[in-house]
């Protein structure tokens, strides 16, 4: 994996060098799109493409499907030989990398400020890198609290009332945990992204305002992570889902080992199919209220495209109110266009309405090129604190010091 | 043979330990196979064997999710690549083991040195050439770049050097041509290592994910690993189908291993052989 990363880096340098030469295809009537939609999304996306073609009857649009896992190296390789598509759908963390290495088209001239105002601010902010707009979101998500209503009833808790604060979560957790049967109140993943709701609800920031230092080891950050550690060590209501070889959180939720987990909107449809009676609530509030993290995917246009106008028009079309309304109601996803949010009523989409509400207090993660590397530095330190080999403060301090070095070297 | 008590005890302990280890190693495979036969909702049920085994999962991945097509692609690509790569490596191994020509050692050293470069480094230049040739989205692109196999050449050469040159000389005295010597003496005597190399290259090409993904843009050319990766990211929760897909991807390798275990194991120790 590390090897793949460093080679990816080398490839991107090559892109940066070649990107200056300009050029591109002359084929004026073809747009190629590389995307990673799943089987439910793919047919809907094709419909969107068809309706875009209604206004542009002369053009051809090639939609190519890639597995999510291999999309990054494939795009990087294509960039070195200028065989990249016009448009690609990329993860939010990959956008910064592509933008930083000068592979993308600056969308500034193509997206009006009126249109930007229509886009959910947290989703739009993931498309910026160094104050320039490099993409438009097609999908956004964040974590919420999933809970098993059956377990709630059995423990004498109100199945319509998920814990509103972390303190409440602890007292619920004590009632839900049954160690003899291997059932725990909550199961939590370790990685930084999955821990961000803890940090954000405590008001801890990720990077300093100038983006040069990691400040997760602030008193707020320490308190936030101490809570996560305490859920496992002190209150014994967390089942060790973060452990290597432990039951991962979504699996444990499915087979009734964990009564509560954090998860995103993508899990709703599949959980419904398993027949579990579950509810979704906001992330429990900490000293700074409720808050969540932001993930998702963005559409980007590559700078070597022959049709910057057409390609960016397609991006605007996908993020438009009309398309997003259709997309959200058909697939149960959070609309990236705020004007389409009213399509999500809590009557028709009880789960999704919670996510739409939660996204109002979502905090975007800072766009830095080395986000995956930051995760790599952070995760083992957090793991050490969780299993008790390091104190929370020591773990966060050494992680922050390493991340500072990484940021300085960028 | 008189067995002492201690020897019996040692044996019992050894076999117990090995049995436990085998169970630990095989359990995931066992789970994969069993889950592939379960009803979708039963993936995490307590029962070990499905009470109502079904082939529905296999039918769905093969037809609805296109694995039949991916499987054919994988078979075509892996077997033809393995076949040709083994053939070329055998011929080249013969030349480097038994022939003399100017700069032979230097050329061989140069080729060996290329083994030091991680395979990932070749991806971009190879892709650039494929693209320049206009071979994108073709079986050619998926097979041809990997036909020259230095590791295979090395393996063949080391093995062939142990075949006595006297045999070749005797054949030549009897009037055998170069091709005849190769075909009637070198190949039959090298069958174990040829089989080993075929299996290793087949396995490599069967599992190759990144290259096949990079040179193809159309689903009809995707191979099993690419299809499986696409399926995995699209359906996090469909465990029974995922396991059926995984079974299909493991099947040929497991079958090959079952019938040709000996050669796999020889392949592992062959490197230790002194040339």
């Amino acid at each position: 994996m590390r090897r793949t990363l460093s080679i990816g880096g080398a490839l991107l340098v090559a892109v940066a060098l070649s990107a200056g030469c300009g050029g591109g295809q002359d084929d004026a009537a073809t747009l190629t799109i590389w995307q990673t939609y799943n089987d439910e999304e793919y047919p809907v996306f094709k419909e969107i493409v068809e309706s875009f073609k209604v206004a542009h009857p002369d053009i051809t649009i090639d939609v190519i499907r890639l597995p999510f896992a291999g999309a990054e190296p494939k795009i990087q390789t294509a960039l070195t030989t200028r065989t990249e598509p016009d448009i690609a759908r990329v993860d939010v963390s990959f956008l910064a990398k592509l933008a930083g290495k000068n592979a993308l088209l600056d969308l500034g001239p193509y997206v009006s400020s009126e249109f930007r105002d229509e886009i959910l601010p947290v989703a739009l902010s993931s498309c910026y890198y160094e104050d320039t707009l490099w993409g438009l979101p097609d999908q956004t998500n964040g974590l919420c609290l999933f809970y098993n209503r059956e377990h709630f009833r059995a423990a004498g808790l109100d199945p319509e009332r998920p814990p509103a604060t972390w303190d409440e979560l602890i007292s619920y957790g004590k009632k839900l945990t049954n160690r003899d049967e291997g059932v725990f109140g909550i199961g939590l993943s370790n990685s930084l992204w999955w821990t961000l709701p803890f940090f954000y609800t405590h008001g801890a920031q990720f990077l300093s305002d100038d983006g040069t230092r990691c400040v997760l080891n602030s008193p707020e950050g320490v308190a936030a992570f101490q809570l996560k550690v305490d859920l496992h060590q002190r209150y014994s209501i967390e089942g060790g889902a973060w452990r290597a070889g432990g039951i991962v959180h979504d699996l444990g939720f499915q087979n009734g080992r964990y009564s509560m987990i954090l998860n995103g909107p993508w899990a709703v449809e599949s959980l419904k199919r398993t027949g579990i009676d579950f509810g979704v609530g906001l992330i429990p509030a900490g000293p700074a209220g409720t808050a969540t993290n932001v993930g998702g995917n963005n559409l980007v246009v590559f700078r070597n495209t022959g049709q910057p106008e057409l390609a960016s028009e397609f991006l605007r079309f996908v993020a438009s109110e009309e398309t997003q309304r259709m997309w959200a109601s058909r697939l149960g996803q959070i609309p990236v266009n705020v004007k389409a949010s009213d399509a999500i009523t809590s009557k028709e989409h009880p789960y999704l309405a919670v996510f739409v509400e939660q996204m109002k207090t979502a905090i975007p993660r800072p766009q830095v090129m080395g986000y995956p590397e930051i995760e790599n530095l952070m995760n083992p330190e957090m793991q050490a604190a969780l299993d008790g080999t390091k104190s929370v403060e020591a773990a966060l301090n050494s992680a922050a010091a390493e991340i500072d070095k990484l940021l300085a070297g960028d | 043979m008189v067995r002492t008590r201690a020897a019996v005890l040692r044996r019992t302990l050894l076999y117990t330990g090995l049995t436990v280890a085998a169970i630990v190693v095989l359990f995931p495979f066992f789970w994969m196979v069993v889950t592939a036969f379960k009803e979708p909702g039963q993936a995490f049920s307590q029962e070990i064997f499905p009470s109502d085994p079904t082939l529905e999962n296999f039918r769905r991945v093969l037809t609805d999710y296109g694995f039949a097509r991916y499987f054919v692609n994988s078979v075509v690509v892996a077997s033809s690549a393995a076949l040709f790569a083994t053939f070329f490596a055998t011929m080249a191994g013969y030349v480097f083991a038994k022939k003399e020509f100017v700069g032979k050692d230097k050329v061989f050293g140069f080729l060996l040195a290329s083994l030091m470069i991680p395979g990932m480094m070749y991806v971009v230049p190879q892709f650039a050439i494929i693209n320049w040739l206009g071979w994108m989205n073709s079986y050619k692109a998926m097979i041809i770049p990997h036909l020259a196999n230095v590791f295979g050449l090395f393996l063949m050469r080391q093995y062939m050097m142990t075949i006595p040159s006297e045999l070749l000389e005797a054949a030549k005295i009897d009037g055998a041509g170069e091709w005849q010597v190769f075909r009637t003496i070198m190949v039959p005597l090298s069958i174990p290592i040829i089989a080993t190399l075929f299996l290793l290259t087949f396995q490599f090409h069967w599992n190759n994910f990144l290259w096949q993904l990079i040179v193809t843009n159309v689903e009809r050319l995707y191979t099993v690993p690419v299809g499986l990766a696409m399926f995995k990211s699209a359906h996090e929760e469909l465990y029974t189908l995922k396991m059926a897909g995984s079974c299909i991807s493991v099947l040929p390798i497991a079958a090959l291993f079952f019938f040709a275990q000996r050669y796999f194991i020889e392949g592992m120790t062959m490197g230790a052989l002194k040339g």
Side-chain angles (χ1 to χ4, degrees), chain A residues 153-176:
Chain A
R153 272 184 219 111
L157 295 165
D158 181 354
E160 301 309 320
R161 215 184 148 276
T165 64
W166 289 114
D167 288 337
E168 231 172 54
L169 182 130
I170 293 166
S171 75
Y172 281 31
K174 286 178 183 161
K175 289 181 190 149
L176 290 161

Side-chain angles (χ1 to χ4, degrees), chain A residues 3-4 7 11 34 36-40 42 64-71 73-74 77-78 80-83 248 250-251 254-255 257 270-271 273, chain B residues 44 46 65 118-121 123-124 127-129 131 136 209-210 212-219 222 226 229-231 233-239:
Chain A
R3 181 180 285 177
T4 326
I7 286 161
L11 296 182
W34 286 3
T36 52
Y37 292 109
N38 70 27
D39 279 0
E40 286 90 47
Y42 185 51
I64 287 162
R65 232 180 141 189
L66 307 177
F68 191 79
K74 184 171 165 99
T77 313
T80 58
T81 48
R82 299 260 209 86
T83 51
V248 292
D250 46 353
L251 211 59
Q254 273 187 48
N255 60 19
R257 291 306 179 99
S270 49
L271 275 174
R273 257 178 270 156
Chain B
F44 298 108
Q46 300 294 330
Y65 295 100
M120 288 290 297
M121 295 302 292
V123 169
V124 172
F127 177 74
I129 294 169
N131 183 50
M136 279 292 290
F209 165 70
L210 192 60
Q212 312 301 13
L213 170 66
I214 286 173
V215 296
T216 51
N217 276 343
V218 282
E219 274 179 70
Y222 282 177
V226 178
M230 200 154 74
F231 185 76
S233 50
H235 308 279
E236 240 2 287
E237 73 296 338
L238 300 177
Y239 282 93

Side-chain angles (χ1 to χ4, degrees), chain A residues 56-181:
Chain A
H56 303 271
D58 306 331
I59 62 167
T60 322
I61 300 184
D62 280 341
V63 181
I64 287 162
R65 232 180 141 189
L66 307 177
F68 191 79
E72 284 195 25
K74 184 171 165 99
I75 289 172
Q76 288 171 344
T77 313
L79 279 165
T80 58
T81 48
R82 299 260 209 86
T83 51
E84 75 272 21
D86 300 290
I87 296 169
R89 177 184 188 239
V90 299
D91 187 77
V92 293
S93 65
F94 190 39
L95 180 136
K97 215 167 169 183
L98 289 171
K101 294 297 184 187
N102 205 9
L104 300 180
L105 180 74
D106 173 3
L107 292 182
Y110 302 100
V111 182
S112 68
S113 60
E114 290 81 42
F115 190 82
R116 292 182 205 198
D117 288 344
E118 285 183 23
I119 306 298
L120 193 69
V122 281
L124 190 69
S125 72
S126 71
C127 295
Y128 280 95
Y129 177 74
E130 294 187 341
D131 297 327
T132 305
L133 185 71
W134 300 105
L136 280 177
D138 71 298
Q139 215 173 45
T140 187
N141 57 53
L143 295 174
C144 275
L145 183 80
F146 285 58
Y147 63 98
N148 187 323
R149 282 197 243 224
E150 209 56 59
H151 287 198
F152 268 50
R153 272 184 219 111
L157 295 165
D158 181 354
E160 301 309 320
R161 215 184 148 276
T165 64
W166 289 114
D167 288 337
E168 231 172 54
L169 182 130
I170 293 166
S171 75
Y172 281 31
K174 286 178 183 161
K175 289 181 190 149
L176 290 161
T177 301
N178 183 340
R179 299 179 65 89
D180 297 333
E181 288 180 19

